[in-house]
Amino acid sequence: MTKPVGKPNAGKPHVRFDERGEETERATSASPRLSSTLLKRNKTDAADAEAICEAITRPTMRFVPVKTAEQQAAGMVLRTREMLMRQRSQTANALRGHMAELGIIAGTGMTSIAKLLVLLRDEKDSRIPSAARFALIQFAEQIELLTTRIEKLDREILAAVRQDPHARRLMSIPGVGPLIAATVRTSVLDARAFATARDFAAWTGLTPRAQSSGGKDRLGAISKRGNRQLRTLLIVGATSIIKLAKRGLKVPVWIRTMLQRRPVKVVSVALANKIARTIWALLVRGGIYQAPTAMLKS
């Protein structure tokens, strides 16, 4: 018996239909990782369907809301920028390596690459053979082209963030810029899906992995689960705050005391965890960030 063709059911929010009127997407989808634990031996389509049906009946199953086309488009802008950033880093590393073979050493970072580009175009420099100069100029032009495209995407992201009131509130948090705010707005559709701020921080992969047994708690490194791009941006933002703290920026007492007994990278991850929890609080409760009253100079 064929499925009757009809109009979309108004009682099903965020349900999509194809041109024949058949339903193509649900409002939520179950986690494939959690569903795979219920999969029996010999993977088949029937076994997969049975595992999915079993998983969605569990009371503790977690569901993921389906993104709208606009949310998917905003995520595409961020992922495009991330890919261009990787390509620029790859090209810059290749240029730096080839120049090092000629005895021209440069440090990491785009500032050092800019100096290499100036040196590369200086035809009076005899250290660079003409054939090598011709080849490396291709790298230089590629780096400049990628930089132009990245800057264009940055302007688009900044314009979108300025039009979003929730993203503007997130940027009141120290260490949160337009990129982090835009990433949160595209990847976190409903912050209330997390019961607590700690759950949100764990979802971003900024909490230790628990390997406990026999009544003994063993906590390892961070789990690195969830959105890798968001986690990386949070750690970068936290690292920038710590760098400014060494130059005299006022920071909370716990950061100052932790820097005295733990490595900088450990403190950066801890601060990133704190920023993630603050983001959750603003998304759920509203308002803007309020700095703590007890602030000391680093």
Side-chain angles (χ1 to χ4, degrees):
M1 181 177 181
T2 59
K3 183 177 179 179
V5 178
K7 296 183 178 180
N9 190 346
K12 297 181 180 179
H14 304 294
V15 177
R16 298 179 182 178
F17 295 79
D18 58 15
E19 63 277 2
R20 296 175 299 176
E22 295 185 358
E23 184 179 320
T24 60
E25 199 169 30
R26 286 283 182 178
T28 57
S29 58
S31 172
R33 183 178 61 84
L34 299 178
S35 302
S36 63
T37 59
L38 303 174
L39 182 64
K40 298 179 180 179
R41 292 183 178 180
N42 299 327
K43 182 182 183 313
T44 61
D45 293 342
D48 290 344
E50 182 181 358
I52 294 173
C53 293
E54 178 68 22
I56 62 177
T57 60
R58 298 298 177 94
T60 58
M61 176 57 59
R62 296 189 293 270
F63 297 91
V64 180
V66 175
K67 296 182 180 180
T68 62
E70 291 74 15
Q71 293 168 337
Q72 291 176 350
M76 291 177 187
V77 175
L78 294 171
R79 288 192 294 271
T80 300
R81 182 188 183 276
E82 183 183 11
M83 186 187 70
L84 295 180
M85 290 287 293
R86 290 198 305 266
Q87 291 178 351
R88 188 177 68 172
S89 298
Q90 180 185 15
T91 308
N93 291 335
L95 175 62
R96 187 186 299 109
H98 287 307
M99 295 289 280
E101 294 178 359
L102 299 175
I104 303 174
I105 309 300
T108 58
M110 295 308 299
T111 303
S112 300
I113 293 298
K115 297 178 181 179
L116 283 182
L117 298 183
V118 174
L119 183 61
L120 184 62
R121 290 190 168 95
D122 185 7
E123 298 182 357
K124 298 180 181 179
D125 194 333
S126 59
R127 293 177 297 176
I128 306 176
S130 58
R133 190 187 306 276
F134 173 78
L136 297 181
I137 283 292
Q138 312 305 317
F139 281 158
E141 294 176 352
Q142 181 70 5
I143 292 173
E144 292 171 346
L145 177 61
L146 291 173
T147 301
T148 302
R149 292 179 176 176
I150 291 171
E151 292 175 351
K152 184 184 297 185
L153 290 173
D154 287 340
R155 290 192 295 268
E156 180 69 20
I157 293 172
L158 181 59
V161 168
R162 287 177 176 174
Q163 296 176 358
D164 190 339
H166 299 289
R168 292 200 303 268
R169 290 193 298 103
L170 293 181
M171 286 194 295
S172 64
I173 305 173
V176 176
L179 282 178
I180 296 180
T183 305
V184 170
R185 293 297 295 157
T186 56
S187 59
V188 183
L189 303 184
D190 183 13
R192 298 182 184 275
F194 304 95
T196 63
R198 292 182 178 181
D199 292 344
F200 177 73
W203 175 77
T204 58
L206 290 171
T207 54
R209 295 190 62 179
Q211 298 178 351
S212 306
S213 179
K216 295 182 180 180
D217 296 333
R218 299 180 179 88
L219 299 180
I222 58 176
S223 65
K224 295 185 179 180
R225 295 173 180 171
N227 191 316
R228 182 184 64 179
Q229 183 183 12
L230 177 59
R231 180 176 61 255
T232 301
L233 291 174
L234 288 174
I235 295 177
V236 170
T239 304
S240 65
I241 293 179
I242 293 176
K243 289 182 179 180
L244 293 175
K246 294 182 178 180
R247 301 176 184 176
L249 178 69
K250 292 183 179 181
V251 295
V253 180
W254 71 270
I255 297 180
R256 181 188 178 188
T257 56
M258 194 174 182
L259 283 171
Q260 296 174 353
R261 55 187 175 85
R262 300 302 297 272
V264 175
K265 291 185 178 181
V266 174
V267 182
S268 298
V269 174
L271 181 56
N273 184 299
K274 178 69 173 179
I275 294 174
R277 287 183 284 163
T278 306
I279 290 174
W280 179 88
L282 293 189
L283 290 176
V284 173
R285 302 169 187 170
I288 61 174
Y289 174 78
Q290 301 292 335
T293 55
M295 299 282 284
L296 295 178
K297 281 191 175 182
S298 176

